[in-house]
Amino acid sequence: MMRLEAMGLLIACLALSEHLNLTFHTHHRILRADRTQMTVDLREQLAKRRASCIVAYLQPFRIVESDDAAQPWNVTIEEVNRQTWDYVKLHEIAGAIDVGLDNPYNLVVSRDGALALPPLSHLRSDQAAVEFFNRCLAGLLLGGVYCEAISVDSLDTGSIIDWKYLRSYRTGQASSNRFHELIRYQQASSMEAIELMYPRTVRFSQLASAMKVGLSVLSCVARLRGDLLLKGVTGIARRDWNSGLSNLWIVIEQIVSHVWDQRIVGQAVIDGAPKSRRDQLSDNRTWTVAVKLEVLHQSGFLDAAALQDLSVARKARNDLAHEGQTPSETSALAALSALRHLLGAVMPEQRIPLFDLNLSDHAISDPFAPREPRAIEPQYWMEIPKLPNELELEQLEAKARLNVPDDGGG
């Protein structure tokens, strides 16, 4: 009897142990599932709060004001000297612009002119990212906002935080990247940070409107390379006639090829021309740019003024390419005028604001041209450190200008 009771007790103990073991493992699985769910939830929460991006910057520097900004950008000379400007405002997102990416992705713009793209698979190489950024910048330029091209050393990586701020982690070595790094970290010197006072300003709605117009032009002429357009217009503004003419001429040839395919080859296809004729019309050795331009003129697509500008630009480009002859200002400007004629002919119903821009507002003046005398009324002063004997030299020069005889007394 005692043995049976002991055996029953043993069976009960084993059952209890098995139940406790099952309960422990069940509880452990529940805890592990809870931790897994918490990890997933945390990752989702973090993903919503910080999104990685590729960053470049508007050049020249601009402050981008959102249309609903409560306070416009303002920096005082005291804040410049003490490095106390509001760096947070520089990181604020002004808005997002549709640049043709798949939903829900857009080009994000911050207040200091930083531009952010999502790290999509087709943008994860330096050349692809640079080309896409330049296409967007060319869109802004065509839409009437002066911009300059970026290159590989202009790329940063960064992140969008809480969809309110755009933080960049500098990797690009371009001067604009360095400048933005310094002003964002409140580390810019007074001479650098003075750019924050009275900067060029553009409203976000202006950027969005300009982009819409510019991308419509680029979509119409798919061959048109944005980076070459940017470099050509920048060359004109910087008095770099070589760069201005050579880049704009490539753009001109791209547009001429587009028009030729649409109007000449395309019409031959519509007319049911045999393949041999279509191939012959597509032969660039037979139909050079000069011949194509003459045919387009004879067909009424280009007027005499356009053909004249194109002839001047073409000759100067050939002299540059074959003879190494630097083009004149007149021939470089003829290329810009020819571009205006061509785009106007391609899109006669579309006003292209690029050609309303006053490039002299962004231009480098001729350093050898006589300067017009004008009154200088400086608001702020900064002492310039003197070189040895420089102060004495300046005093003598001042006496010479005033026709004051040197008494030898210093």
Side-chain angles (χ1 to χ4, degrees):
M1 187 68 177
M2 291 294 293
R3 184 175 298 174
L4 289 175
E5 290 178 354
M7 185 175 294
L9 181 60
L10 176 61
I11 292 172
C13 289
L14 290 173
L16 178 60
S17 175
E18 183 177 353
H19 171 73
L20 291 174
N21 188 48
L22 178 62
T23 301
F24 171 77
H25 285 292
T26 301
H27 182 63
H28 180 69
R29 283 198 299 272
I30 292 172
L31 288 176
R32 185 168 58 188
D34 287 344
R35 284 198 297 269
T36 301
Q37 185 61 45
M38 288 174 62
T39 301
V40 171
D41 292 342
L42 179 59
R43 288 177 179 172
E44 290 180 353
Q45 180 183 356
L46 292 175
K48 292 177 181 178
R49 296 201 58 193
R50 186 190 293 275
S52 298
C53 58
I54 312 165
V55 181
Y57 299 94
L58 285 175
Q59 183 67 20
F61 172 64
R62 283 181 179 85
I63 288 292
V64 180
E65 295 284 18
S66 61
D67 296 312
D68 57 353
Q71 292 291 334
W73 176 259
N74 181 56
V75 171
T76 66
I77 191 64
E78 289 77 19
E79 289 173 325
V80 166
N81 289 330
R82 296 172 185 169
Q83 297 178 314
T84 57
W85 58 86
D86 192 344
Y87 71 94
V88 174
K89 288 184 177 179
L90 295 172
H91 293 75
E92 290 176 347
I93 291 176
I97 302 176
D98 180 9
V99 290
L101 296 172
D102 293 336
N103 287 330
Y105 301 111
N106 290 303
L107 177 75
V108 174
V109 185
S110 74
R111 200 169 195 176
D112 70 338
L115 309 174
L117 289 172
L120 303 176
S121 58
H122 66 280
L123 297 176
R124 289 186 184 177
S125 73
D126 52 3
Q127 296 300 324
V130 166
E131 185 171 337
F132 196 91
F133 270 122
N134 279 330
R135 185 174 188 274
C136 295
L137 292 169
L140 292 176
L141 178 64
L142 286 164
V145 178
Y146 180 81
C147 296
E148 297 179 1
I150 70 161
S151 52
V152 172
D153 64 349
S154 303
L155 295 177
D156 281 0
T157 55
S159 62
I160 295 170
I161 300 175
D162 293 334
W163 296 101
K164 294 181 179 179
Y165 307 105
L166 202 170
R167 166 72 82 182
S168 64
Y169 311 108
R170 177 176 174 261
T171 55
Q173 301 300 310
S175 58
S176 61
N177 297 60
R178 172 67 174 169
F179 172 72
H180 283 271
E181 179 189 40
L182 293 174
I183 61 174
R184 282 170 164 244
Y185 291 169
Q186 287 186 313
Q187 293 297 314
S189 67
S190 297
M191 290 192 69
E192 294 164 316
I194 202 71
E195 291 280 343
L196 296 174
M197 294 184 64
Y198 317 119
R200 295 180 187 271
T201 303
V202 62
R203 299 202 72 81
F204 174 77
S205 57
Q206 290 177 268
L207 291 183
S209 177
M211 186 71 77
K212 183 177 181 180
V213 172
L215 292 184
S216 70
V217 176
L218 292 172
S219 297
C220 180
V221 188
R223 296 184 185 184
L224 199 160
R225 283 287 300 263
D227 56 338
L228 299 176
L229 175 66
L230 290 163
K231 292 174 182 177
V233 175
T234 300
I236 299 295
R238 298 297 180 87
R239 301 183 61 81
D240 183 353
W241 311 130
N242 285 342
S243 176
L245 176 65
S246 57
N247 283 291
L248 288 180
W249 185 256
I250 297 175
V251 171
I252 287 170
E253 290 204 17
Q254 291 168 347
I255 299 173
V256 170
S257 294
H258 166 81
V259 173
W260 186 263
D261 287 348
Q262 294 288 316
R263 293 180 64 90
I264 307 300
V265 180
Q267 188 60 48
V269 173
I270 293 173
D271 295 341
K275 184 176 182 299
S276 59
R277 181 167 183 264
R278 299 199 306 268
D279 290 344
Q280 192 268 339
L281 287 173
S282 300
D283 185 0
N284 290 325
R285 294 169 299 178
T286 302
W287 301 94
T288 64
V289 173
V291 175
K292 288 178 180 178
L293 290 174
E294 183 62 34
V295 171
L296 293 173
H297 171 59
Q298 294 295 335
S299 67
F301 181 78
L302 294 174
D303 60 23
L307 190 64
Q308 173 63 23
D309 284 333
L310 285 160
S311 297
V312 171
R314 182 177 60 82
K315 182 180 184 307
R317 182 266 177 191
N318 288 340
D319 289 343
L320 172 61
H322 303 299
E323 306 296 334
Q325 182 175 330
T326 299
S328 65
E329 178 178 357
T330 301
S331 58
L333 292 177
L336 183 62
S337 180
L339 176 63
R340 176 175 59 82
H341 285 297
L342 275 172
L343 287 178
V346 171
M347 306 180 71
E349 304 300 322
Q350 174 72 63
R351 184 181 71 85
I352 301 178
L354 161 62
F355 303 110
D356 298 329
L357 281 175
N358 179 14
L359 292 184
S360 64
D361 190 36
H362 305 276
I364 293 177
S365 59
D366 183 351
F368 297 105
R371 296 186 179 182
E372 296 182 4
R374 59 187 179 87
I376 299 177
E377 298 180 0
Q379 292 180 291
Y380 310 106
W381 298 85
M382 183 187 74
E383 183 177 357
I384 299 176
K386 299 297 183 184
L387 297 173
N389 303 318
E390 187 177 14
L391 179 59
E392 175 192 1
L393 176 60
E394 289 176 350
Q395 291 171 341
L396 290 173
E397 290 170 336
K399 288 181 180 180
R401 283 193 296 270
L402 296 173
N403 295 319
V404 177
D406 184 10
D407 57 9

